[in-house]
């Protein structure tokens, strides 16, 4: 929301829609398919949001609904509409634990590690375990 594409022709090819949408800062990668024209030279563009900025893993999350402006649209009964065909899936969230055996039969687990933890946070969490001696490198 709050971002506007450059003007888009009524008969724009799918490549133009893709370029205009991907130029917006709140849109990642999209796939666009344009239908053949109907009797009134109307088209349907199907847009799939493949990746969304800030959403992990790629392909998760929802984007705000598209709002169409008819300000530059002309012609008798000319109209435009948007519709969500399928919501995205939830982005990765939560936490995880790492565990390893200390004597071949019992497991030692870390405290919860946030899903988006960086390597240094994972390293320090492992190094804080009582049985870990020395430096841990995570890459």
């Amino acid at each position: 929301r709050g971002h506007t594409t450059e003007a888009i022709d009524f008969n724009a090819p799918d490549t133009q829609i893709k370029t205009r949408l991907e130029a917006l800062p709140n849109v990642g990668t999209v796939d666009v398919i344009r239908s053949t024209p109907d009797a009134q030279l109307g088209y349907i563009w199907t847009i799939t949001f493949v990746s969304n900025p800030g959403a992990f893993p790629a392909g998760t999350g929802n984007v705000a609904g598209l709002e169409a402006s008819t300000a530059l649209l002309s012609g008798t009964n000319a109209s435009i509409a948007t519709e969500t065909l399928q919501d995205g899936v939830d982005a990765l969230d939560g936490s995880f634990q790492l565990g390893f055996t200390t004597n071949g039969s019992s497991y030692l687990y870390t405290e919860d590690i946030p899903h988006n933890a960086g390597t240094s946070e994972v390293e320090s969490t492992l190094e804080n375990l009582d049985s870990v001696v020395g430096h841990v490198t995570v890459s």
Side-chain angles (χ1 to χ4, degrees):
R1 293 201 172 244
H3 301 286
T4 304
T5 66
E6 294 180 38
I8 298 172
D9 295 331
F10 82 94
N11 61 348
D14 48 7
T15 54
Q16 184 184 67
I17 302 288
K18 177 179 176 64
T19 300
R20 298 281 162 80
L21 287 172
E22 290 178 351
L24 299 175
N26 61 331
V27 174
T29 305
V30 297
D31 287 337
V32 180
I33 300 171
R34 186 185 82 170
S35 70
T36 56
D38 63 17
Q40 292 79 34
L41 294 179
Y43 294 87
I44 295 173
W45 290 271
T46 302
I47 302 166
T48 302
F49 291 84
V50 179
S51 69
N52 302 311
F56 182 81
T60 61
N62 282 313
V63 295
L66 296 177
E67 294 179 9
S69 170
T70 58
L72 299 175
L73 193 59
S74 61
T76 305
N77 297 322
S79 66
I80 188 169
T82 63
E83 177 184 4
T84 299
L85 299 178
Q86 179 179 340
D87 285 329
V89 297
D90 292 336
L92 186 62
D93 195 17
S95 60
F96 64 95
Q97 292 180 319
L98 296 174
F100 61 96
T101 58
T102 56
N103 59 15
S105 62
S106 64
Y107 283 91
L108 183 63
Y109 292 96
T110 64
E111 60 188 45
D112 287 347
I113 302 171
H115 74 281
N116 58 350
T119 55
S120 61
E121 186 173 359
V122 175
E123 285 176 1
S124 66
T125 302
L126 287 168
E127 289 171 351
N128 286 335
L129 290 172
D130 291 336
S131 297
V132 174
V133 178
H135 179 72
V136 174
T137 301
V138 175
S139 59

